[in-house]
Amino acid sequence: NQRLDVAVIGTGNWGTTLALVLARGGCNVTLFGRNQAEVGQLQAAGENSRFLPGQRFPANLGLAYDLALAAQAQVILLAVPSKTIRSNALQLAPQLAPDSIILSCAKGIESGSLETMSEVLAEALAPHPRSLIGALSGPNIANEIAQGLPATSVVALSDDQAGQRAQSLLTTNLMRIYRSSDVVGVELGGALKNIVALGAGICDGMGLGDNAKAAFITRGLAEMTRLGMARGAHPLTFAGLAGLGDLIATCASPHSRNRRLGEALARGQSLETALAQLGQVAEGVNTTATARQLAEQYGVELPIADELYRVLFEGKSPQQAGLDLMQRDPKNE
Ligand code: 13P
């Protein structure tokens, strides 16, 4: 039984896309579904008809559900929602190869613990070396990548040798992989940008124009950086691909779930209805709540996240939230 180069766990939009792009690039990769029934269905269809209809699986893309096989891979990509990543990791833990690299592809902050995904993984996979646990994050709108458009992403691992190993296994001619040792910065860039994307969608839905949206995105980036630095991240990480890069892609993309959700809210839909219509996880909803708690813990001000929280969870109108943001005491930039 040959060892897999890459195991992708999670058959959602992003997991399927990662498996597709790696397989097309010639990588020895297998996509792991939840159970035999799901994998059988994917195999029979020859594609993920729910999320990526028409994107046929290449012949070299393996499909499986036995996590014992995934646990032996050189690199394990966990592309599951942040809410389930801990339980997925716990299933993986007993069979994990000692030198496997595990990367979170989820962009969120865990409720309750307020930990980043790699911190959650480090706990769930203990005593696996922390230096082999990190994240993959960047401007990665799945639909574009699945369609064969070029993209970049960042592998964040504290250990540079592990980073190089992951980088060389994940690089393809259409997916350029950068490295960072600022794991918490890369993770918070990916997680916090979803809050800003929700708000950017609200700007779009309200027709506020490009000046307002640019201001919103830029002040959003300032909030992301402030909270990130309080958590020990390097400020320049937020100016990189996993920060500003992802922010630009997500706040502009017609595909972004978070941006689309914000647009629906601005058009007067309730959160429940908008989420039901989306039919997928928009991580920014939960991250708005967890980021606020984190900010409170560290004494950091997040006016945009605060207003968004009121819109999402306290029934405040997006119009009023916008007015209140405009009326705040202007600070030095
Ligand atoms: P959405 O979750 O909003 O679709 O954004 C995906 C993403 O993180 C792009 O990098």
Side-chain angles (χ1 to χ4, degrees):
N1 227 346
Q2 200 206 344
R3 185 178 190 190
L4 287 173
D5 282 342
V6 182
V8 181
I9 299 176
T11 52
N13 218 13
W14 189 213
T16 307
T17 296
L18 280 165
L20 277 173
V21 71
L22 288 166
R24 288 170 185 161
C27 176
N28 168 22
V29 56
T30 290
L31 176 63
F32 288 81
R34 266 181 292 269
N35 50 44
Q36 190 167 16
E38 190 196 20
V39 168
Q41 196 267 325
L42 290 170
Q43 243 147 10
E47 63 176 34
N48 186 333
S49 348
R50 174 163 174 222
F51 291 112
L52 297 162
Q55 299 299 338
R56 308 293 297 169
F57 293 146
N60 65 324
L61 171 54
L63 289 162
Y65 62 92
D66 181 4
L67 287 183
L69 178 64
Q72 293 297 312
Q74 297 267 1
V75 175
I76 302 166
L77 300 178
L78 276 164
V80 299
S82 63
K83 228 171 46 187
T84 65
I85 207 165
R86 186 182 288 271
S87 62
N88 283 283
L90 286 170
Q91 292 177 323
L92 208 57
Q95 287 142 313
L96 204 54
D99 64 345
S100 288
I101 293 171
I102 301 98
L103 301 175
S104 153
C105 305
K107 295 170 174 173
I109 298 169
E110 193 182 52
S111 298
S113 73
L114 302 184
E115 289 173 344
T116 66
M117 295 299 105
S118 76
E119 290 165 346
V120 170
L121 291 178
E123 274 181 18
L125 301 174
H128 200 71
R130 186 67 179 89
S131 58
L132 300 180
I133 300 173
L136 178 72
S137 189
N140 295 152
I141 300 292
N143 302 61
E144 291 188 4
I145 295 173
Q147 282 164 35
L149 297 173
T152 62
S153 202
V154 182
V155 161
L157 283 159
S158 59
D159 178 60
D160 200 49
Q161 259 191 334
Q164 286 180 33
R165 189 150 63 94
Q167 181 184 38
S168 78
L169 286 165
L170 297 175
T171 294
T172 75
N173 53 351
L174 288 173
M175 182 67 117
R176 182 173 164 81
I177 303 288
Y178 288 77
R179 295 194 307 273
S180 170
S181 55
D182 183 6
V183 181
V184 73
V186 165
E187 291 192 281
L188 286 177
L192 299 174
K193 73 99 189 17
N194 286 330
I195 304 174
V196 186
L198 271 169
I202 292 181
C203 291
D204 288 343
M206 286 170 58
L208 297 182
D210 289 331
N211 294 329
K213 193 173 165 189
F216 186 84
I217 293 171
T218 310
R219 295 311 300 159
L221 182 60
E223 281 191 27
M224 290 165 56
T225 310
R226 248 189 337 259
L227 183 56
M229 286 173 71
R231 277 260 19 224
H234 195 288
L236 281 181
T237 301
F238 295 91
L241 289 169
L244 181 59
D246 201 0
L247 197 55
I248 293 172
T250 313
C251 291
S253 174
H255 296 293
S256 160
R257 295 161 289 200
N258 289 288
R259 201 205 58 78
R260 278 160 55 206
L261 187 74
E263 219 173 358
L265 294 175
R267 282 198 242 96
Q269 274 192 5
S270 70
L271 181 59
E272 294 71 38
T273 313
L275 279 173
Q277 262 184 25
L278 191 66
Q280 288 187 57
V281 179
E283 291 274 10
V285 175
N286 193 50
T287 309
T288 302
T290 49
R292 261 177 113 237
Q293 291 172 347
L294 205 55
E296 200 177 322
Q297 203 168 300
Y298 283 88
V300 173
E301 258 194 285
L302 301 183
I304 287 176
D306 284 345
E307 287 300 336
L308 208 58
Y309 183 90
R310 293 182 189 114
V311 170
L312 291 172
F313 303 112
E314 294 177 349
K316 185 167 184 173
S317 77
Q319 285 73 13
Q320 191 58 51
L323 286 173
D324 288 352
L325 277 174
M326 286 297 277
Q327 246 110 77
R328 274 172 50 84
D329 239 5
K331 301 240 163 74
N332 289 332
E333 209 199 351

